[in-house]
Amino acid sequence: MSGPGMPEPACVPLSDEDRAILDLECATVVGHVLHMAMLEGTPVTAGELRAHIATRLPAAPELRYRLDERDGVPVWVPDAELDLAHHVVDAPDGPYDEGALRALVAHRFAQHLDRTRPLWSLDVAPLAGGGTALLWRVHHALADGATMTRLSHTVLYDEEPAGPATGTAASPPATVRADHERRRAHLMGVIEREFTVGPAHSPFDGELSTRRDVAFVDTDLAALHAAARSAGATVNDAFLAVLAGGLRRWVDHHAGTVTDLRVRVPVSLPRDDPSQANRDSAFDLPLPVHVVDPLERLRVVHELTTARKDARDAARLDDLLHRLAEVSPPLRRVCDRLRATARAFTVSVSNVPGPRTPVAVLDRRVRATWPLAEIGFHHALRVTAASMVDVLSFGITVDPGLVPDVDVLADGLRAEAELLVTAAQTSPASRAATSR
């Protein structure tokens, strides 16, 4: 560990979590996440953004380390030749309309990051209607969704950086290792009540290709929050209820049989030491896709999530898996393989909270953040949500050969969000509360 006034280590061995995440990559699966900041105002250029990031980069050491080997062991090393011109680039052929932007995002997302350089890249794309999209890819070995939010505050947003802006910053052990517990949970999950299998066949299972299609949906966060609150539920419950409705519409469109689908839902686990970062676990939840009424669906989701949280499944089984890894690594590997099958869960989801107050990049307001996470073997659909002040944005990633018509799912999510808000506003309980 190092800090201000202390030299950075010449190399840092990769943690087991880093290596596991890197090992997940192959010809058909990438290992990064993507957050796209949608800026208002006059277009930004890559040159402007490089100058902006350069002044803040010392506070984000994750972005200055690359992979290497020492005596056959993979390590992180500082990149003395880091050149932002290779990492922050103008997207070609702009400006982009909605269709062209989605095609650019899908193409970039499917490309592996260059492992000879620090594992991140940022494309600056001017928009046809005005404004700029910043397509920021960061490898999951360096950042999950929560870490991406922190890095955005550190190097992009026009506010005080989260750390010293000059001098020698802390090395990855100080700033990244705190995030390993979260990323470990994405790989491990939980065991108890998590081996209940879903349908014998998943509509999102099959042999992956290298192709990706993406879609994005913006919804009214305040309205969804009010709808959830009217039912005693949370925004995350509303997100899951909207997702269930959108999946129902997609299945109906393809003349499939509507059955409940299991989703893998992340859960934040507080640490005993409050000075350290939270760690995330997950549970698998039977999503009530069969329920048509949006308020009833929200009620069912809330009951399911509340029961899992009250039972502390994620916390107890996170500890159990840690112990299992220590006493019986082979059995632990069997558990991991079982939980990675299509029958363990159908869709992986996540909901990352973003800034609650307006932020900007180079004095251009960020109106929304569009998130994407990679699909995986047996799971050719991934849905991610991220908030930005009063907007909750859904990002959808699919292999189009296995999950066609991503626009049908996107339109379904948009329609279900509107239906839930309207149903909550016109429900008898809501009318009674308004009349008082």
Side-chain angles (χ1 to χ4, degrees):
M1 182 179 297
S2 67
M6 298 175 62
E8 291 181 340
C11 67
V12 179
L14 269 67
S15 69
D16 291 341
E17 292 72 46
D18 291 334
R19 297 177 71 167
I21 291 170
L22 289 167
D23 287 345
L24 290 175
E25 280 194 289
C26 63
T28 56
V29 175
V30 300
H32 49 258
V33 296
L34 183 149
H35 277 203
M36 184 159 59
M38 306 299 291
L39 310 186
E40 300 174 344
T42 57
V44 173
T45 67
E48 292 176 294
L49 196 60
R50 283 195 292 267
H52 178 73
I53 292 175
T55 63
R56 297 173 169 217
L57 200 58
E62 299 97 324
L63 303 181
R64 294 184 286 121
Y65 275 70
R66 63 174 175 82
L67 291 171
D68 203 349
E69 280 194 4
R70 295 290 187 272
D71 299 323
V73 177
V75 295
W76 297 110
V77 299
D79 189 349
E81 300 179 356
L82 173 65
D83 184 355
L84 288 179
H86 289 290
H87 293 268
V88 183
V89 300
D90 287 306
D93 304 323
Y96 294 85
D97 60 19
E98 180 181 351
L101 180 63
R102 282 176 50 184
L104 173 67
V105 173
H107 178 262
R108 288 289 192 269
F109 193 77
Q111 293 180 319
H112 289 74
L113 291 167
D114 184 354
R115 290 198 178 190
T116 67
R117 301 181 185 278
L119 293 174
W120 63 279
S121 179
L122 199 158
D123 288 85
V124 181
L127 303 178
T132 312
L134 306 181
L135 287 63
W136 194 10
R137 291 179 293 155
V138 180
H139 202 284
H140 206 270
L142 292 180
D144 60 6
T147 308
M148 282 289 288
T149 298
R150 173 174 61 80
L151 289 173
S152 296
H153 282 272
T154 302
V155 301
L156 286 181
Y157 297 156
D158 292 333
E159 56 191 13
E160 288 297 318
T166 60
T168 303
S171 67
T175 58
V176 181
R177 293 301 174 87
D179 298 320
H180 284 336
E181 293 294 336
R182 286 199 299 268
R183 295 199 298 276
R184 173 186 295 170
H186 285 293
L187 296 174
M188 296 195 301
V190 292
I191 291 179
E192 186 177 279
R193 292 201 290 269
E194 300 306 319
F195 287 101
T196 301
V197 297
H201 173 70
S202 164
F204 312 122
D205 190 10
E207 185 175 350
L208 293 180
S209 73
T210 59
R211 297 171 56 220
R212 297 293 180 269
D213 199 358
V214 301
F216 303 97
V217 177
D218 288 341
T219 61
D220 187 327
L221 177 59
L224 281 176
H225 192 277
R229 189 168 55 243
S230 71
T234 68
V235 169
N236 199 55
D237 293 333
F239 159 61
L240 293 174
V242 167
L243 175 60
L247 289 171
R248 178 187 180 88
R249 289 170 180 257
W250 185 89
V251 172
D252 278 343
H253 178 79
H254 289 275
T257 301
V258 175
T259 59
D260 291 350
L261 304 175
R262 289 173 66 83
V263 294
R264 183 151 291 176
V265 182
V267 177
S268 182
L269 301 178
R271 298 176 61 91
D272 293 334
D273 182 353
S275 68
Q276 297 180 350
N278 286 351
R279 70 182 191 270
D280 288 349
S281 185
F283 54 70
D284 296 341
L285 194 75
L287 208 61
V289 176
H290 72 282
V291 179
V292 178
D293 180 80
L295 283 180
E296 175 64 14
R297 192 188 309 127
L298 175 61
R299 184 191 65 77
V300 173
V301 167
H302 178 60
E303 289 181 353
L304 290 168
T305 58
T306 299
R308 304 305 295 274
K309 293 172 186 176
D310 289 348
R312 299 187 68 248
D313 284 350
R316 290 190 293 110
L317 297 171
D318 179 72
D319 290 338
L320 178 60
L321 278 179
H322 277 78
R323 295 172 185 173
L324 187 62
E326 294 173 355
V327 301
S328 180
L331 181 56
R332 169 56 195 280
R333 289 192 291 270
V334 170
C335 292
D336 287 345
R337 286 196 296 271
L338 288 174
R339 296 201 67 251
T341 66
R343 297 194 68 184
F345 72 100
T346 313
V347 182
S348 181
V349 304
S350 58
N351 183 5
V352 180
R356 297 183 178 180
T357 57
V359 295
V361 176
L362 292 171
D363 297 323
R364 281 81 161 179
R365 184 178 183 273
V366 182
R367 66 172 177 83
T369 301
W370 290 356
L372 289 180
E374 176 61 315
I375 59 178
F377 299 110
H378 309 297
H379 308 98
L381 166 67
R382 183 77 178 264
V383 181
T384 309
S387 60
M388 172 62 67
V389 190
D390 56 357
V391 177
L392 181 67
S393 300
F394 291 76
I396 308 167
T397 313
V398 301
D399 182 325
L402 297 174
V403 188
D405 302 317
V406 68
D407 285 331
V408 171
L409 179 54
D411 291 342
L413 293 175
R414 185 180 294 106
E416 289 294 336
E418 294 172 355
L419 280 175
L420 177 59
V421 169
T422 300
Q425 292 171 344
T426 58
S427 68
S430 176
R431 289 197 298 269
T434 303
S435 63
R436 288 198 295 267

